Amino acid sequence: MEKRVVIDTDPGVDDALALLLAFRSPELQVEAITTVNGNVPLEQATKNAALLLDLVDPQPRPILARGSARPLRKGPITAQSVHGSDGLGELNRFKNPDGSPRYPHPQLPQNLPNATEVLLDLVRRYPDELSLITLGPLTNLAEALLADRKRMKRLQEVVIMGGAVGVPGNITPGAEFNIFVDPHAAQHVFQSGLPIKLVPLNVTEKVCLAPMQIEKLAQAMDKPLGKFLCDATSKAMEHMKQVRRMAAIPLHDPVALGVAIDPSIVKTTPLYIHVETQGDITEGMTLADLRPIRDDLKKPPNMHVALEVDAEQFLGFFQDRLCPRLW
Ligand code: BDR
Ligand code: CA
């Protein structure tokens, strides 16, 4: 049976790859894509999600809903230095032979539905059946919980890409980007009692795609999607080389998406995690209670955290979904 999911996202290069994976996975019935401020401002994130929908044309087409433009209490922060000013590696650089844009701007209807309303409505229609996969800051989910916590508790599962548990962050020394952008929302979600599976940097940093793998995949994929894969990832690849001296891009969001499809990709540990919302230097840090003391002396775990990953298994799965003919 297909798993009904909503994907909450801030596309983002790796978000785009996660969406491709979702649309190529028969195990998932994607009911809605909800967008949020994160890698790029909300309007751009929403345009990018629409562009992806136009490119893949999934049937049936999921609802596209516009979410929060700002974190709960802070000003918005973006990651355009990593993902490009458009979030997808500056796609307007690319032209068709006749000079027209290879990626025309999608037309967004003015009256797109609101993400919180769509989430609440889908949980009402599919109680204990719907899963939410979050690939960006947790603002939309926190707002839905604030609007109707009782209803949102009927989510079957929440898979969250975010956090860094006892390992370095990626936006500050201590914090991972999605949590840092809206730490108040993350803390609210983490303390909500929802059934959370956290997919942090501990595992996502271990699953990377190198230029050779991208090229091989792209050549074997349907032409427009193969081109998109190369076009969208080249700037992020350059960024990784400049900033991290690394010739590969981490597949943060695709790994989280993969875990929602096949949990055996990771090994999880039940942990209690608190988000630091006050600290000057530690804002957005995901602090796990790893003290080696008796369990009854600690707060009970509030989520399952992926701490180990089978990177080979995931990469095989990812490549197989994007291009079944190749392997
Ligand atoms: C997360 O931050 C974003 O830049 C990526 O899309 C991913 O969701 C990784 O820290
Ligand atoms: Ca993301």
Side-chain angles (χ1 to χ4, degrees):
M1 215 182 94
E2 291 169 347
K3 187 168 178 168
R4 284 185 204 283
V5 298
V6 172
I7 303 175
D8 187 59
T9 177
D10 59 337
V13 176
D14 62 326
D15 300 73
L17 301 186
L19 290 172
L20 289 185
L21 176 61
F23 295 136
R24 287 292 175 98
S25 293
E27 297 88 346
L28 299 185
Q29 168 74 41
V30 184
E31 296 288 338
I33 306 285
T34 54
T35 59
V36 66
N37 155 81
N39 288 323
V40 281
L42 177 72
E43 217 40 39
Q44 186 66 44
T46 311
K47 279 186 192 152
N48 292 349
L51 184 145
L52 257 298
L53 285 171
D54 288 351
L55 201 64
V56 184
D57 195 21
Q59 298 300 328
R61 197 175 169 101
I63 301 166
L64 176 61
R66 200 186 256 121
S68 289
R70 304 177 59 82
L72 292 187
R73 299 196 207 164
K74 302 168 61 169
I77 298 162
T78 60
Q80 283 154 300
S81 61
V82 183
H83 297 264
S85 60
D86 65 345
L88 294 177
E90 319 285 356
L91 287 183
N92 55 11
R93 293 180 286 156
F94 302 101
K95 307 277 180 228
N96 293 318
D98 66 359
S100 61
R102 189 180 292 170
Y103 301 98
H105 292 297
Q107 291 304 317
L108 281 185
Q110 272 304 310
N111 54 351
L112 275 185
N114 169 273
T116 308
E117 283 164 23
V118 166
L119 261 171
L120 286 166
D121 186 51
L122 285 168
V123 181
R124 182 186 55 74
R125 277 165 56 195
Y126 306 114
D128 309 316
E129 202 193 318
L130 188 76
S131 293
L132 174 64
I133 305 167
T134 69
L135 309 177
L138 289 162
T139 321
N140 290 339
L141 176 53
E143 283 183 348
L145 278 163
L146 288 166
D148 192 340
R149 184 165 181 272
K150 199 166 158 221
R151 167 116 43 109
M152 291 304 284
K153 295 273 288 206
R154 306 294 300 268
L155 274 171
Q156 204 219 354
E157 184 185 40
V158 184
V159 178
I160 295 174
M161 190 286 127
V165 181
V167 298
N170 59 358
I171 177 87
T172 70
E176 181 278 330
F177 179 78
N178 288 341
I179 306 295
F180 180 79
V181 172
D182 199 342
H184 301 95
Q187 173 66 352
H188 191 74
V189 169
F190 286 8
Q191 309 311 318
S192 66
L194 284 175
I196 296 173
K197 198 174 274 178
L198 191 74
V199 184
L201 295 182
N202 305 57
V203 291
T204 64
E205 284 276 358
K206 293 195 178 129
V207 186
C208 295
L209 215 49
M212 287 272 286
Q213 289 165 297
I214 294 181
E215 237 168 74
K216 195 170 167 199
L217 250 178
Q219 275 171 13
M221 283 164 77
D222 313 334
K223 205 135 191 227
L225 283 184
K227 266 200 176 358
F228 175 79
L229 184 66
C230 291
D231 296 347
T233 52
S234 66
K235 284 266 173 195
M237 195 66 78
E238 200 45 47
H239 174 87
M240 291 303 287
K241 275 192 208 142
Q242 298 295 333
V243 175
R244 293 185 52 178
R245 299 206 178 91
M246 183 175 150
I249 50 168
L251 297 181
H252 303 292
D253 293 339
V255 173
L257 203 294
V259 168
I261 300 171
D262 180 359
S264 79
I265 290 164
V266 291
K267 266 202 196 131
T268 60
T269 305
L271 285 174
Y272 178 80
I273 297 200
H274 183 100
V275 180
E276 174 60 272
T277 54
Q278 319 268 324
D280 275 351
I281 310 169
T282 53
E283 183 183 19
M285 209 168 152
T286 39
L287 186 65
D289 191 349
L290 297 168
R291 289 175 296 169
I293 57 173
R294 277 182 7 227
D295 284 349
D296 60 302
L297 299 175
K298 300 188 198 183
K299 287 196 181 165
N302 55 357
M303 64 186 77
H304 287 86
V305 185
L307 294 178
E308 288 173 54
V309 61
D310 188 335
E312 287 300 305
Q313 183 191 340
F314 176 77
L315 282 172
F317 167 77
F318 180 73
Q319 291 166 340
D320 183 51
R321 287 300 159 90
L322 261 54
C323 180
R325 282 161 292 158
L326 187 56
W327 314 98

